[in-house]
Amino acid sequence: AQSVTQLDSQVPVFEEAPVELRCNYSSSVSVYLFWYVQYPNQGLQLLLKYLSGSTLVKGINGFEAEFNKSQTSFHLRKPSVHISDTAEYFCAVKSGGSNYKLTFGKGTLLTVNP
Amino acid sequence: NAGVTQTPKFQVLKTGQSMTLQCAQDMNHEYMSWYRQDPGMGLRLIHYSVGAGITDQGEVPNGYNVSRSTTEDFPLRLLSAAPSQTSVYFCASTQTPGGNEQFFGPGTRLTVL
């Protein structure tokens, strides 16, 4: 079985500050990892994904994430946030092979204050 | 491409009423799924389908039915609505298993009184 833990339910930061949103996963097989963003009253949009290869993955809007197999983590980072980054962020895992199912964490609400 | 579309955007039901949430995709995706989103719970899988005529239960299937008669459409039926089904419902689709992303619809906000 696969599972995802997002360690912080809310993260408030000031504009232009760096931010890290933490995600840990568990799976008995190889995994694909995703970060999705949900802006208020909207659907989910893919930020970035890790499939294989380089452990540092760059996504849209200046976000990046690092896959750490030994720590089973996939933390999301941005060096300088903007007000427009205020949203809920979801980490998700899918086991490798023929599996379709995507398992989500409970989400982290990032609030960027002026 | 319209991507994944959902109707209606908002719905209010009374306890015991039934309704169908519509979902369609025009990307010829094999896999479609329904999630519900509740505060502090993330997204939980209700039902999914790996192709026309094939459906299976997810994490929270009770009170919901699905069918997949075509590749494009994947409706979700609430048989007898309950207040516990008040939620935001998202439909998603993906092309194949593996690392392909899931594309999400805009959601349906359902309130059951």
Side-chain angles (χ1 to χ4, degrees):
Chain A
Q2 57 197 32
S3 66
V4 177
T5 302
Q6 291 184 244
L7 297 161
D8 305 295
S9 60
Q10 297 186 52
V11 174
V13 295
F14 288 108
E15 193 173 18
E16 298 184 4
V19 70
E20 178 179 82
L21 306 183
R22 297 180 292 168
C23 172
N24 287 90
Y25 70 92
S26 68
S27 174
S28 58
V29 296
S30 61
V31 295
Y32 304 116
L33 293 157
F34 304 81
W35 275 99
Y36 282 84
V37 60
Q38 184 181 33
Y39 298 105
N41 299 312
Q42 294 188 25
L44 276 74
Q45 177 184 359
L46 182 70
L47 266 182
L48 49 80
K49 62 182 179 181
Y50 171 78
L51 305 183
S52 65
S54 173
T55 57
L56 184 63
V57 180
K58 294 189 183 297
I60 62 172
N61 301 340
F63 284 92
E64 63 181 32
E66 186 157 17
F67 171 62
N68 187 319
K69 187 174 182 180
S70 62
Q71 297 187 2
T72 61
S73 68
F74 190 54
H75 302 332
L76 182 70
R77 302 185 181 99
K78 187 170 183 178
S80 176
V81 294
H82 303 288
I83 298 286
S84 59
D85 292 322
T86 294
E88 190 150 25
Y89 293 79
F90 293 95
C91 182
V93 64
K94 184 192 294 186
S95 297
S98 61
N99 184 24
Y100 284 95
K101 292 183 187 178
L102 195 60
T103 300
F104 285 88
K106 294 185 177 182
T108 298
L109 179 62
L110 173 66
T111 303
V112 182
N113 299 301
Chain B
N1 285 351
V4 180
T5 58
Q6 292 183 237
T7 56
K9 290 189 177 180
F10 302 94
Q11 183 70 49
V12 179
L13 292 178
K14 294 181 179 179
T15 297
Q17 288 184 315
S18 62
M19 79 159 295
T20 300
L21 308 184
Q22 300 292 344
C23 174
Q25 53 90 9
D26 61 358
M27 297 173 282
N28 201 31
H29 285 172
E30 298 175 350
Y31 179 82
M32 297 183 72
S33 54
W34 276 102
Y35 296 88
R36 60 177 289 172
Q37 182 182 23
D38 303 291
M41 301 294 290
L43 277 79
R44 294 181 291 169
L45 183 65
I46 305 172
H47 284 286
Y48 64 97
S49 168
V50 298
I54 306 169
T55 63
D56 205 346
Q57 296 181 350
E59 184 184 351
V60 287
N62 292 341
Y64 307 95
N65 270 0
V66 291
S67 60
R68 184 96 178 269
S69 57
T70 67
T71 300
E72 295 77 20
D73 300 300
F74 190 44
L76 178 72
R77 298 182 188 84
L78 279 70
L79 308 173
S80 177
S84 61
Q85 294 178 304
T86 293
S87 188
V88 181
Y89 292 85
F90 289 100
C91 180
S93 73
T94 189
Q95 185 172 13
T96 57
N100 293 295
E101 70 172 283
Q102 289 200 14
F103 293 86
F104 284 81
T108 295
R109 186 173 295 273
L110 175 68
T111 301
V112 183
L113 303 176

